[in-house]
Each structure stands twice: as C-alpha cells, then as structure tokens.
Amino acid sequence: MELEVRHLRVLCAIADTGSLHKAARELGLAQPSLSTQLRRIERALGAQLFVRARNGCSPTPLGMVVLARARPLVAEFAALVTETRAAAARAAGGFQLRIGSTASRAIPGWLRLLRTRPSRVEPTLHMSVSANSLLGMVAAGRLDMAFVHEVEGSPLRIPPGLCVRVMVEREPQFVTLAADHPAAARREIGLADLAGERWMVDSTVDGEWDALCRVLRAAGLNPEVLHGDYLTAYSLAATGEVVTVSQPTAHPRPDLAIRPLAGDPIGVRLLLAARSEAELDDAYPELEEAYWAVAHEAPAYREWLRRAYPLGAPDRPDAPDPPDAHPSPVAWRRPVRADLRTP
C-alpha cells in the first residue's frame, strides 16, 4: 500500500478529534471504513500510530512523528488544489464560491446577494450539522469559507491557519413551544415555567445537547431530553409533545410560539471562517446584510433587540453601533479579526 494525501488527512482528523467516531463524521465516512483505513496505514508503516482506549484515541510517539510530517503536506496540497481551482475559474471568466454552513435563515439572502454582484460569482452550498466538520473542510481546501455557530461552553476546533471573523458575539437561543401552551402568552419564558415539559434537541449538532443539559442542571431541573432532528422537534412542539431550542431568527408559524428564555441562558457565537482575510472581506458584507434582514423579520428577535438597546434598536442592517453606555450581548457590526486567527 502506498500512502496518499487522503491517508494523511485521515491521520490528522483522528489526532484532531481524538476519536474514530468523530473523525469519521468529520471526513464523511462510516466508522468501520475509517477503522479499516487506519489499520491499513499502520500495516503499511509497520507500527501502531494510535492507542485506542474507551475514552478515545491518542497518538503513539511514532504517531506524533508521522503527524508532524503529515500536517504540512496536507496543508500544502489543500493550498495547491485551492489555487489551481481559483486560477481555472478566473480563466473561464467566472468564480465559484464554495460555501459551507450550519443551519441559518440568512443563507438564502446571502446567496442571492452574492449572485447579484456585478462580478460573476456563483456560490455553491454545503450544509452540515457539524461546525467542526465544516471548518475542517475549509482548512482542507474543500470549501472556500464556512458560516458556523459556536455553542457557548463548547469551543470549536479552529484548524491552524484559518482566519475567523465574529459576526455576532452572542446570539441568544430561544425556546419554541405550542402556540396554545400557557407559557406562550408571556413575552419571555423562564426555565422553571417549563419544568414539566419534555425537551427535544439534535445531539448531532456540535455542543447543543451538552449546552441544554448544562443549563437545565444549573436551573435545578432534570427533565426528559429526547434526541431528534429539528424538523421533527418543531412538528412535535406544535402538538404540545415537546419544547425545543430554536434560533431567534426562526420563522414564525401559526401553530408555534417562539419566545426568549429569561436571562438568555443559552447563547451561540456566529462566525465566518476562511483561509485569508481577503476572502472574508469579499463575502462578509453580504452575509451581515442577509443576517440582520432576517433578524428584523423575526418578531420575537426584533423585540429582544429593542430591549437590548434601550436607546433604540437598529431597524436596518446598516444601522450605527449602539452607545457604549448600553452594552449588549450582541456585538453589533463589530467584526473580530486578529485575535481569532490561528497560527
């Protein structure tokens, strides 16, 4: 067996995630297939590269040596692929922008704004529940940029060399419940008001299960928490079977109520990641415009923003910064750059 770049990428993913299961998900492979590949790589090199344990995988001393050589090779190959594709696109008179994203209502508007530019930009979209997987794809050159959310308390693994810009420092997460639920009549809902409810959350979304359980425990609650995708969660919430966490930009429905949680106990940070500041500069303005457009289309979020800015919440994406005397959890139009750039 001859080692190829894809094999080196497998080794890097296992080392970065510390788990065959997580690495397989990040690479889009089945875990048995990844395990088979690792055994073949180890046989080809004649030594064990990882120690398998119940709590994950860790590199052996030889594995550390191999990884030290593999990482720059993987990075150089990704850069070669990216630069070649960009040159080919320019030669053809157009440019295809490969975008990855976790779920967001801002995506349709962002794509539309990019397509209406005078320059020829044709964005493509790759959706994933895993922000870490998308960041890995950007680092590997399989995506040009990724718009992701980082759940509070569960930091993302930012691959070396990526540039990351914060669009919203802390976006509060709301609760969605049946429109005829007694608590739906309130402007905001306390966790104690939902003490008897079952929750449903998608545990495949990086950090979300842990965040909800952590917040419920802090409130002294121990409700039943079910696993399910958010389409199912919304359907069950509409019938009163469960309540679920939702983004504040979620589109209102007649059979559902979307309300802030008192004290905003659950938050996420919204990030755009690319391999260079120039790439971020090129696509960030349209994303920001699209996000704040849907933010102000969501009644509950619009009201939350008005309360967060007591001197007057901005009603349009290009509104000025709020006064410093009234700080808010949201970093309004204040992109963070250098402090998040990895070495």
Side-chain angles (χ1 to χ4, degrees):
M1 172 185 171
E2 293 185 1
L3 289 184
E4 302 176 5
V5 174
R6 63 187 176 92
H7 299 134
L8 303 182
R9 192 177 294 124
V10 164
L11 299 180
C12 293
I14 296 172
D16 291 341
T17 61
S19 160
L20 289 175
H21 172 72
K22 292 179 180 178
R25 188 174 70 177
E26 194 163 293
L27 294 168
L29 301 172
Q31 184 173 332
S33 174
L34 183 66
S35 299
T36 300
Q37 284 197 43
L38 177 57
R39 286 194 297 269
R40 288 175 178 169
I41 294 169
E42 290 179 326
R43 281 199 301 268
L45 294 177
Q48 186 177 359
L49 301 180
F50 289 91
V51 176
R52 285 79 153 175
R54 297 183 69 178
N55 59 346
C57 293
S58 58
T60 63
L62 179 60
M64 296 291 288
V65 172
V66 173
L67 286 164
R69 300 291 297 273
R71 291 188 190 280
L73 292 173
V74 170
E76 284 298 321
F77 185 77
L80 173 64
V81 171
T82 299
E83 292 168 10
T84 302
R85 286 175 174 169
R90 286 192 297 269
F95 176 64
Q96 187 179 73
L97 185 63
R98 298 165 301 160
I99 293 172
S101 181
T102 49
S104 172
R105 285 195 62 235
I107 295 301
W110 187 24
L111 298 180
R112 183 174 60 254
L113 289 170
L114 290 172
R115 287 194 179 101
T116 55
R117 283 179 172 181
S119 57
R120 292 178 57 186
V121 176
E122 182 54 42
T124 63
L125 182 63
H126 178 90
M127 299 295 296
S128 175
V129 296
S130 173
N132 282 309
S133 175
L134 292 170
L135 293 174
M137 293 177 71
V138 175
R142 290 184 286 164
L143 291 173
D144 297 308
M145 61 185 59
F147 177 47
V148 299
H149 68 272
E150 178 182 62
V151 179
E152 199 167 56
S154 299
L156 295 175
R157 298 184 304 274
I158 310 295
L162 285 194
C163 299
V164 180
R165 190 166 300 175
V166 177
M167 190 178 73
V168 176
E169 182 62 40
R170 190 176 193 274
E171 179 194 73
Q173 300 300 280
F174 288 2
V175 64
T176 294
L177 63 167
D180 59 359
H181 191 288
R186 300 170 187 166
R187 189 171 68 174
E188 65 176 21
I189 299 174
L191 286 172
D193 300 325
L194 305 173
E197 301 293 338
R198 292 187 299 175
W199 291 75
M200 178 171 279
V201 67
D202 190 345
S203 61
T204 65
V205 178
D206 294 338
E208 295 211 355
W209 181 279
D210 291 341
L212 176 62
C213 292
R214 187 166 53 248
V215 165
L216 291 172
R217 285 195 302 269
L221 303 177
N222 187 31
E224 185 177 5
V225 182
L226 308 177
H227 163 71
D229 64 89
Y230 283 115
L231 180 61
T232 302
Y234 268 49
S235 298
L236 292 177
T239 63
E241 292 292 325
V242 300
V243 297
T244 188
V245 177
S246 67
Q247 297 176 359
T249 53
H251 199 278
R253 285 174 31 178
D255 55 350
L256 289 172
I258 301 169
R259 299 288 184 268
L261 285 166
D264 303 320
I266 307 175
V268 304
R269 187 164 63 158
L270 303 183
L271 313 169
L272 182 64
R275 286 180 301 279
S276 71
E277 288 289 347
E279 289 176 297
L280 290 177
D281 289 339
D282 190 50
Y284 181 87
E286 286 87 353
L287 173 59
E288 186 181 44
E289 180 178 345
Y291 176 82
W292 291 115
V294 297
H296 289 292
E297 289 171 1
Y301 195 20
R302 186 171 63 243
E303 177 62 23
W304 184 94
L305 288 168
R306 285 179 176 146
R307 294 201 305 273
Y309 296 94
L311 295 188
D315 285 326
R316 59 188 187 279
D318 60 348
D321 288 348
D324 292 337
H326 297 273
S328 165
V330 173
W332 190 273
R333 293 184 58 82
R334 288 175 181 165
V336 177
R337 304 187 185 193
D339 60 331
L340 283 180
R341 184 165 185 167
T342 55

